[in-house]
Amino acid sequence: MKAAVYCGKEDLRVKEVPIREPEDNEVVIRVKYCGVCGTDIHIFHGDGGACDVTPPLIPGHEFSGVVEKVGAAVKTVKPGDRVAGNPNDMCGECYFCKNGKEHFCENNIGVGTTVDGGFAEYVVMHEKQVYKFSENLNFIEAAMAEPISCCLNAIDLCNIQMGSTVLVIGGGPIGMIMLQLAKYAGASKLILSEPVEEKREQALKLGATKTIDPLEENVQEVLNEYCKNVDVVIECVGNIKTQEQAVQFAGKAATVMLFGLAAPGESFPICPDDLFKKELKVMSSYINPYTFERAMQVLEAKTIELESLITNIVPLEQIEDVFVKPEYRRTGKVMIQID
């Protein structure tokens, strides 16, 4: 099969590789689309993602496709089924799995991070990781299940209540997903801080009640004018400057969700006195525990708008361009078209 193989730092090659035969409990999926995640960018630059990555490896963990073949013991899916794949395969036996914290599994297998993933014509994974979807969804939408599942975990942790004021920092695809989920979680004032005008305009169409250009406006002054208190801040950039600002802009008794993935080793200063006087809860969100099924339900119900978030569809043969040309990351979601 044809696949994009990560061979080392900034070395991604499209080449022919063998297709692995499935074990009894595994499924072979013919991949249609696979999204490019910020984690994939980190991997390409040698930083790793949620876990350590050892080349050679086929990345890609946001994918959908059609079941091509199943192992002898597989019962829940069959060839021809339309499916999306949850990349995280937990052992079920370690301390964390047995104590309701499976996303910290000590033996986690990550499709696209620890084993070969979706930037390929075929991907092989455990039956329990495969989720069927109806013809109500197209394959591009279904490939968004994994990022939506991660966003759902973050939204759960933010504890947004009816009438909450929520500030989202960063209007990329993740920021736009968070914006919509926060709206449905009950936020009455929904603010986006984003320097790109087109993204601010898009946010207003998706439910934002206020947008701020952080390069031209004083964000704190705008917030002081617009609302009494920022209850939740969700940082979706993954930049230490915007993460520092997330803590700064949070109101009294607020939750600060640092969702964006900064480079390993980077840090920013926090004044404990500020945390104390505002009684802040500063947290992060790690992958997608128990949320993939819900993500599929959100997609099937068409709860959030996705079409405008996907700005580039790139054939597998041209995948390297996405990783080396920064203009791709300045627009929206990039989907790699496999089949």
Side-chain angles (χ1 to χ4, degrees):
M1 67 176 179
K2 197 178 298 180
V5 181
Y6 171 67
C7 298
K9 184 177 180 180
E10 298 178 356
D11 185 1
L12 187 68
R13 308 175 198 174
V14 177
K15 57 184 182 179
E16 293 288 331
V17 300
I19 303 172
R20 182 169 71 81
E21 285 295 312
E23 302 290 339
D24 284 352
N25 59 7
E26 290 183 323
V27 176
V28 180
I29 300 168
R30 186 171 78 253
V31 181
K32 293 286 189 179
Y33 291 93
C34 187
V36 178
C37 174
T39 294
D40 297 316
I41 303 298
H42 281 285
I43 290 171
F44 176 76
H45 290 295
D47 294 331
C51 51
D52 293 334
V53 176
T54 304
L57 177 95
I58 301 170
H61 57 275
E62 305 176 356
F63 53 86
S64 66
V66 177
V67 175
E68 180 80 7
K69 188 176 182 179
V70 299
V74 171
K75 297 178 181 178
T76 59
V77 295
K78 64 185 183 304
D81 283 345
R82 299 151 59 89
V83 296
N86 180 356
N88 299 301
D89 183 6
M90 313 309 185
C91 74
E93 299 295 331
C94 71
Y95 171 86
F96 295 104
C97 283
K98 289 182 175 180
N99 285 276
K101 301 178 179 69
E102 69 163 18
H103 51 317
F104 298 116
C105 173
E106 295 172 329
N107 307 298
N108 177 32
I109 297 171
V111 174
T113 51
T114 66
V115 298
D116 288 338
F119 291 145
E121 292 180 306
Y122 297 92
V123 64
V124 183
M125 65 195 314
H126 196 288
E127 175 187 14
K128 68 182 179 181
Q129 298 169 263
V130 178
Y131 291 74
K132 292 189 287 188
F133 62 89
S134 73
E135 293 190 4
N136 185 47
L137 283 184
N138 63 46
F139 287 101
I140 293 180
E141 291 171 322
M144 294 292 286
E146 195 277 342
I148 290 171
S149 70
C150 293
C151 290
L152 283 171
N153 185 53
I155 290 291
D156 290 346
L157 292 170
C158 286
N159 192 29
I160 297 167
Q161 300 179 14
M162 296 297 294
S164 290
T165 295
V166 177
L167 168 65
V168 176
I169 299 178
I174 291 296
M176 295 299 188
I177 292 171
M178 291 292 199
L179 191 81
Q180 295 179 78
L181 292 176
K183 172 186 173 182
Y184 284 104
S188 59
K189 289 189 174 181
L190 196 48
I191 309 155
L192 177 74
S193 176
E194 165 57 52
V196 178
E197 182 179 2
E198 291 81 4
K199 293 181 180 180
R200 295 198 303 273
E201 291 173 355
Q202 182 186 24
L204 292 170
K205 295 175 183 176
L206 295 177
T209 59
K210 181 75 173 177
T211 61
I212 305 172
D213 180 350
L215 301 183
E216 299 294 332
E217 300 177 88
N218 184 306
V219 176
Q220 190 63 67
E221 287 182 2
V222 174
L223 292 173
N224 291 344
E225 269 186 39
Y226 184 66
C227 59
K228 292 183 182 294
N229 194 66
V230 175
D231 302 303
V232 177
V233 183
I234 308 175
E235 196 279 342
C236 301
V237 181
N239 179 285
I240 54 171
K241 182 62 178 176
T242 50
Q243 290 180 338
E244 183 177 0
Q245 290 171 347
V247 176
Q248 174 189 339
F249 298 144
K252 301 292 177 65
T255 296
V256 180
M257 170 55 65
L258 303 179
F259 190 84
L261 186 61
E266 289 188 331
S267 62
F268 64 90
I270 289 181
C271 176
D273 190 58
D274 290 341
L275 300 185
F276 163 68
K277 288 178 178 176
K278 292 199 286 186
E279 198 177 81
L280 295 186
K281 181 186 292 183
V282 181
M283 59 173 49
S284 60
S285 172
Y286 185 67
I287 63 174
N288 61 345
Y290 316 108
T291 54
F292 205 91
E293 180 69 41
R294 289 167 56 201
M296 297 303 296
Q297 292 172 1
V298 166
L299 286 166
E300 290 278 10
K302 307 287 186 178
T303 303
I304 62 176
E305 196 276 316
L306 294 173
E307 185 178 354
S308 64
L309 310 187
I310 299 160
T311 54
N312 295 280
I313 298 175
V314 178
L316 180 62
E317 292 79 6
Q318 297 174 22
I319 188 172
E320 187 181 12
D321 289 347
V322 177
F323 289 83
V324 299
K325 295 181 178 179
E327 55 264 32
Y328 280 106
R329 295 186 292 284
R330 285 197 289 261
T331 52
K333 187 69 176 180
V334 178
M335 282 285 171
I336 304 301
Q337 185 172 9
I338 313 293
D339 184 14

